[in-house]
Amino acid sequence: MSCHIMKDVNTYESDSDGLLYDPRVRAAMTQFTDTDNDLLTFEAGAAVRTANLAVERMRAHGSQGRGASAGALDLLIRLNGSEHGISIGELARTAGVSSRNATGLVDTLEHDGLVRRVPDPKDRRSVLAEITPAGRAWMKAFRKPSQLAMRAMFHGFAPEELVVLRDLCLRLAANQHRLADRLRQTGQQP
Amino acid sequence: MSCHIMKDVNTYESDSDGLLYDPRVRAAMTQFTDTDNDLLTFEAGAAVRTANLAVERMRAHGSQGRGASAGALDLLIRLNGSEHGISIGELARTAGVSSRNATGLVDTLEHDGLVRRVPDPKDRRSVLAEITPAGRAWMKAFRKPSQLAMRAMFHGFAPEELVVLRDLCLRLAANQHRLADRLRQTGQQP
DNA sequence: GGCAAATCTGGAAGCACGTACTAATGTCGT
DNA sequence: ACGACATTAGTACGTGCTTCCAGATTTGCC
C-alpha cells in the first residue's frame, strides 16, 4: 500500500468501545454543542449524511449515468413492483417529495423510455405513470449488478446490524415527520 | 388525533423483533432481490436515504433559508472550529467534494459575509477561507436552536443507539471509499 | 532551467428540488 | 343544479449542488 493510497484513506478512528467516529467532525462539533449527548446527536446526523453520500456515489457509479438518479430509480423500482400505473400525486406522497418534483422525475424516466404516462380513467385531472417494457428490461439488466454493489457496500455487516441500521434511520425519519406535523399544526411555519 | 393527521403519518411497521421497516419499500425491493440478506441491504440503503432527507429537512427549516445549505453549513462549522484559515483544497478534500464545488460553497458563505478569503502566506496559489466575526455570531445565534432541533430529531434515542448509528454509517462510508479506491486502481472507471 | 503537477476560479451546463400559479376537474353543501 | 372550495399535474422560475473544461499562476522535482 503506497503512501499515495494512504493519503486517500479516510481517517475514521475507533472510540473506546471500538465504534467508528470521525475526529474531524468531532473537533468541529465539539465547539457547537454543550453536552456529550448533544455531540452524539450531531455526530450521528453528520454520519447519516456521510453514509447517504456514500450510497449515492455507489449508485451513480453503478448506473453509469443511465438516467437513474436516486429519486428516479426509487420511482422506477416502485413502478416495477406494481401491476398497474400509479398517479403522480401518489408517487410524490409515498416518496415524500412535492408533486412538482415527482413530475420532474417521471419526465426524466419518460424521456429515457423507461416510463410512460397514461390517463387515469377514474379522475381526469390525474395521470398514471407506468413502467414500460424497456423499463422492465432495464430493471432486469441492473438487478444483479445492483445486488453485487449493495453486498459490497454492506460487506462485513451482520444481518442484525442491517436491521438495526434500518430501524434507527426510520425512527429518525418518523421523529422528523412528527415534528413537521406539530409545527404545521401550531402554525409556526415561516 | 383526527383522521387528517392519521392520513399523514408514515406507515412504517414493526417487524417481529419490534424494529421498524417500510412495507412499501419492502414490497418494491422484494421483486428486485434474490435473498433475504439482499433485501436487508436494499432496505438499509433506502432507510439511510430516508433518514438523510429527514435531517436535511429539519436543517432547512431551522436555518430559515439563511444561506445555510447542508454543504455550506458543514464548511462553516469546520471553519468555526479552527483558529486559522483552511485552504479551499483542504476543505474540498475533507468534505469529499471537488475543489470547484468547495469554491462555490465558499462563494455562498462569503456572499453572506460569514466567511472571507485571505491569501495563504505559505503558497501563493492557494487561498485560505476563514470565518468572519459575523460568521461566529451566526454560529452563536444558531447554536441553541440547532441543539434543540437535533434533540427533537433524536428524541427517544439512547446514547448507545446514537453511537451505533454513527458507527454503522461510517462503516458504510468506509466500505464505499475502499470500493472506489479499488476501482480506481484496477482502472475500471467508466 | 524545464516541465509536470498543483491551486483556484471563470464559465457553462445538467439535475434535483421547491414555490407560486394556472386550467381543468372533482367534491360537498345548500 | 349551482357555487364554493379542494385537488391534480404541469408551467414558469429560482436555488443549490455537482461536474466539466479551460486558463493563469505557482510550486516542486529532476
Side-chain angles (χ1 to χ4, degrees):
Chain A
M1 189 183 284
S2 72
C3 280
H4 169 72
I5 298 298
M6 285 296 292
K7 196 149 137 204
D8 290 347
V9 170
N10 250 286
T11 54
Y12 300 148
E13 290 172 18
S14 298
D15 66 16
S16 48
D17 296 317
L19 302 179
L20 287 185
Y21 73 98
D22 185 333
R24 264 186 298 234
V25 169
R26 180 163 288 184
M29 299 293 187
T30 297
Q31 311 214 28
F32 202 46
T33 53
D34 291 329
T35 70
D36 281 352
N37 201 68
D38 286 326
L39 177 59
L40 290 183
T41 63
F42 276 76
E43 280 187 312
V48 166
R49 180 144 182 269
T50 299
N52 184 63
L53 283 174
V55 174
E56 302 280 89
R57 285 197 175 124
M58 182 53 50
R59 241 179 189 161
H61 177 262
S63 68
Q64 322 232 347
R66 295 284 308 273
S69 70
L73 183 58
D74 282 350
L75 289 200
L76 191 61
I77 292 176
R78 176 85 199 286
L79 292 170
N80 189 47
S82 174
E83 313 212 319
H84 44 81
I86 303 177
S87 74
I88 305 286
E90 178 62 22
L91 288 173
R93 272 185 298 278
T94 54
V97 299
S98 68
S99 70
R100 182 58 189 86
N101 192 19
T103 295
L105 294 176
V106 170
D107 285 346
T108 299
L109 291 170
E110 192 176 32
H111 179 264
D112 294 334
L114 306 181
V115 160
R116 68 186 155 222
R117 283 175 165 87
V118 297
D120 182 348
K122 295 192 221 150
D123 182 343
R124 284 191 292 179
R125 297 168 299 181
S126 181
V127 171
L128 302 180
E130 63 184 27
I131 193 167
T132 61
R136 291 200 195 274
W138 191 97
M139 291 293 290
K140 193 167 182 148
F142 274 85
R143 182 187 173 115
K144 180 55 67 178
S146 296
Q147 287 178 38
L148 293 178
M150 293 308 279
R151 284 180 196 160
M153 287 290 289
F154 286 102
H155 173 72
F157 281 67
E160 304 80 54
E161 287 178 312
L162 294 170
V163 170
V164 166
L165 178 58
R166 185 193 74 212
D167 173 71
L168 294 173
C169 290
L170 294 186
R171 280 167 56 194
L172 183 58
N175 279 352
Q176 188 264 328
H177 290 137
R178 266 194 294 274
L179 286 170
D181 283 349
R182 204 176 303 149
L183 289 172
R184 200 183 311 137
Q185 282 190 345
T186 60
Q188 290 186 29
Q189 274 291 57
Chain B
M1 190 181 286
S2 73
C3 279
H4 169 68
I5 298 298
M6 285 295 291
K7 195 148 136 204
D8 289 344
V9 170
N10 249 286
T11 54
Y12 300 147
E13 291 172 19
S14 300
D15 66 16
S16 48
D17 297 317
L19 301 179
L20 288 187
Y21 73 98
D22 185 334
R24 263 185 298 227
V25 169
R26 180 163 289 184
M29 298 292 187
T30 298
Q31 311 212 25
F32 201 47
T33 52
D34 290 328
T35 70
D36 281 352
N37 201 68
D38 285 327
L39 178 59
L40 289 183
T41 64
F42 275 76
E43 280 186 313
V48 165
R49 178 144 187 271
T50 299
N52 184 63
L53 285 173
V55 173
E56 304 280 87
R57 287 199 175 121
M58 184 51 52
R59 243 179 188 157
H61 176 262
S63 68
Q64 324 235 338
R66 293 284 307 278
S69 69
L73 184 57
D74 282 349
L75 290 199
L76 192 61
I77 292 177
R78 176 85 200 285
L79 292 170
N80 188 47
S82 174
E83 314 213 321
H84 44 82
I86 302 177
S87 74
I88 306 285
E90 178 63 21
L91 288 174
R93 273 185 297 276
T94 54
V97 298
S98 68
S99 70
R100 186 61 188 83
N101 192 12
T103 294
L105 294 175
V106 170
D107 285 345
T108 298
L109 292 170
E110 193 176 31
H111 179 263
D112 293 334
L114 306 180
V115 159
R116 68 186 157 226
R117 284 176 163 85
V118 297
D120 182 348
K122 296 190 218 151
D123 182 342
R124 282 191 292 178
R125 296 169 300 182
S126 182
V127 171
L128 302 181
E130 64 183 29
I131 192 167
T132 61
R136 291 202 194 270
W138 192 97
M139 291 292 290
K140 192 168 185 147
F142 274 86
R143 182 187 172 115
K144 181 56 68 178
S146 297
Q147 287 179 38
L148 294 178
M150 294 307 279
R151 283 180 198 159
M153 287 288 290
F154 285 102
H155 172 72
F157 282 67
E160 305 79 54
E161 287 178 312
L162 295 171
V163 171
V164 166
L165 177 58
R166 186 192 75 211
D167 174 69
L168 293 174
C169 290
L170 294 185
R171 280 167 57 193
L172 183 57
N175 278 352
Q176 187 267 327
H177 290 137
R178 267 193 294 273
L179 286 170
D181 283 349
R182 204 175 305 151
L183 289 172
R184 200 183 309 139
Q185 283 190 341
T186 60
Q188 290 186 26
Q189 275 288 57

